[in-house]
Amino acid sequence: MSTRGGVLDAATKVRVEEGGGREAARLPFVVYVLALGTFLMGTTEFVVAGLLPEMAGDLHVSVARAGLLITVFALGMIIGAPLMAMLTLRLPRRLTLMLALAVFALGHVIVALGSNFALLLGARFLTAVATGAFWAVANVVAARIAGPAASSRALGVVGSGAMLANVVGVPLGAFAGQAMGWRGPFWALAVLGAGCIVFIARHVPQDGPSRQTVSIRSELSAVRSGRLWLALAACATTTGGVLATYSYISPLLTDRAGLAAGVVPLVLVGFGVGALAGFLVGGRLGDVRPHATTILAPAVTTALLLAICLLSAFSVPVIVLVALLGLFGLGANPVLISLAVRFAGKAPTLGSALTVSAFNFGTAIGTWAAGMALDSSLGATGPAVVGTVVAALTLIPAITIALLHRRNREGAVIAHAADAVDAGAADAGYTGR
């Protein structure tokens, strides 16, 4: 049992008490270890898309049927994150992270060895459940160890691992799959997942003695917060709007903008780089102006998606708009996760897990609606139209959360002033006697 990281609650307390510019400048190393884990998770979630033709041919199924390997992963994330958060409630967080990575590695070994399509579907679902568990607990650990003043920034770094997967992991996985067969990337992810267990064991601190063990009933009662569900709604719509467009960006780029198919991957890399930068910048801004960030990001995203709809026939503007969509589209996510964890109160792990479910639920619904729009009279611009509407819906919960915060803050100021007046009156009465 490693003591290198110290005790989680104690480490958090020290960082909060120390404060100062140094903590603002550098996050604990364990946050980057957790980002490595989310990098692997993000890679496995999307790498299948680049391997579908090879997998379909080898498994003797259609490409459309092979696409179920992506769908079942999303379902596993939606169901698995909150379910595993409850089932592992009494386990130490470090142990939960290690077990999740072990199951993650096992799932990839099964896929790499398997030849039965049903078995592969089951392995993908199992991997997704482990991914949801890891992500939920990783968010809580990162937020706690970074302290309240840097929680959004820490969550931005953890989430940036998944964004980096779109820039590096997925393209490398697709290239490796073409060079050595589609099973190669799954073997690589299994090995890397197993190796990441060592880093988690070495660097993630133990839970402190102040961590309270709560029952499932109290955990569930703690999430009866209206503000939590508003944050989850924003998680679903902001991601659903962006990915509804992104998932079907290829036909828009080729059919409407007239780009060559070989240019499309470069445009997607531009989106990935923008998303990585947006996640990091959004996390930083969220620690200073959380509510402004959660309103501004979806507002700009809606405008960008509308511009893509209107300018889809012009190649250069569309390329620039897609990169900007990556920058702003997911920038509010680390702040929304931080707010959800805070609003969950005594149930931070379940609150974090529900954000994972919300992101994937929004993605599933958004891409489903976008697929229908693609087959409609709207054609290649249909997904962008759907994305514009869904992203605009984010403003409703985001603005509501900001107004509730402002009302609560004003109420607290009034209550504090009233207490001060009462205290002054009491002092005057005391000295008058």
Side-chain angles (χ1 to χ4, degrees):
M1 184 165 56
S2 171
T3 58
R4 175 179 291 269
V7 176
L8 179 58
D9 293 338
T12 303
K13 183 179 179 182
V14 169
R15 288 186 180 89
V16 173
E17 290 177 349
E18 285 178 353
R22 184 177 178 183
E23 285 302 321
R26 189 170 68 176
L27 290 170
F29 178 72
V30 68
V31 173
Y32 300 96
V33 172
L34 296 171
L36 173 62
T38 59
F39 171 79
L40 299 179
M41 309 293 175
T43 299
T44 196
E45 184 171 6
F46 297 109
V47 74
V48 173
L51 304 173
L52 280 180
E54 293 83 359
M55 297 181 73
D58 189 40
L59 298 171
H60 306 293
V61 296
S62 67
V63 174
R65 184 169 173 77
L68 291 175
L69 294 168
I70 300 174
T71 304
V72 78
F73 194 95
L75 292 174
M77 289 280 282
I78 293 171
I79 298 170
L83 177 63
M84 294 307 296
M86 301 304 293
L87 293 178
T88 61
L89 189 61
R90 296 180 182 274
L91 292 180
R93 293 190 178 111
R94 181 170 64 181
L95 178 59
T96 301
L97 292 171
M98 294 170 64
L99 289 175
L101 283 168
V103 175
F104 176 89
L106 176 62
H108 284 81
V109 170
I110 295 173
V111 173
L113 292 174
S115 56
N116 180 277
F117 186 68
L119 177 65
L120 265 63
L121 285 176
R124 286 288 288 172
F125 184 85
L126 179 68
T127 304
V129 170
T131 297
F134 181 92
W135 217 312
V137 177
N139 284 336
V140 174
V141 171
R144 286 283 176 87
I145 203 169
S151 61
S152 290
R153 183 176 163 216
L155 290 170
V157 171
V158 172
S160 70
M163 300 299 104
L164 187 62
N166 288 321
V167 182
V168 178
V170 174
L172 281 180
F175 176 78
Q178 294 172 1
M180 64 180 70
W182 66 266
R183 298 178 189 273
F186 289 94
W187 279 117
L189 285 167
V191 172
L192 291 172
C196 193
I197 295 176
V198 178
F199 284 94
I200 294 295
R202 184 174 178 82
H203 295 288
V204 173
Q206 307 170 53
D207 292 328
S210 62
R211 181 190 175 188
Q212 297 179 349
T213 301
V214 295
S215 66
I216 292 178
R217 178 177 296 180
S218 63
E219 185 87 353
L220 290 174
S221 66
V223 297
R224 294 174 183 171
S225 164
R227 292 190 300 171
L228 170 63
W229 293 103
L230 286 170
L232 295 176
C235 289
T237 51
T238 187
T239 307
V242 173
L243 294 187
T245 305
Y246 176 74
S247 298
Y248 295 96
I249 199 68
S250 182
L252 184 141
L253 294 174
T254 55
D255 298 346
R256 287 287 297 166
L259 293 175
V263 179
V264 172
L266 297 178
V267 178
L268 299 183
V269 169
F271 174 90
V273 171
L276 174 61
F279 225 85
L280 294 173
V281 172
R284 282 181 173 272
L285 293 177
D287 287 324
V288 181
R289 299 277 185 177
H291 301 292
T293 303
T294 56
I295 294 173
L296 180 62
V300 175
T301 298
T302 302
L304 290 171
L305 288 168
L306 180 61
I308 289 175
C309 295
L310 299 175
L311 301 175
S312 59
F314 303 95
S315 57
V316 174
V318 167
I319 292 173
V320 175
L321 288 169
V322 169
L324 290 174
L325 180 64
L327 180 64
F328 288 94
L330 304 178
N333 286 12
V335 191
L336 290 171
I337 297 170
S338 179
L339 290 175
V341 170
R342 186 189 311 167
F343 295 155
K346 297 179 180 179
T349 303
L350 183 57
S352 173
L354 288 172
T355 65
V356 176
S357 294
F359 287 135
N360 283 274
F361 178 78
T363 299
I365 297 298
T367 52
W368 170 77
M372 294 185 65
L374 184 66
D375 291 333
S376 71
S377 59
L378 293 172
T381 58
V385 173
V386 171
T388 303
V389 175
V390 175
L393 292 175
T394 309
L395 293 171
I396 298 175
I399 292 174
T400 304
I401 291 172
L403 291 175
L404 289 173
H405 172 74
R406 184 174 184 179
R407 187 181 69 181
N408 291 341
R409 185 174 60 181
E410 290 175 349
V413 170
I414 293 173
H416 180 72
D419 290 342
V421 170
D422 291 343
D427 289 342
Y430 176 77
T431 55
R433 288 193 298 271

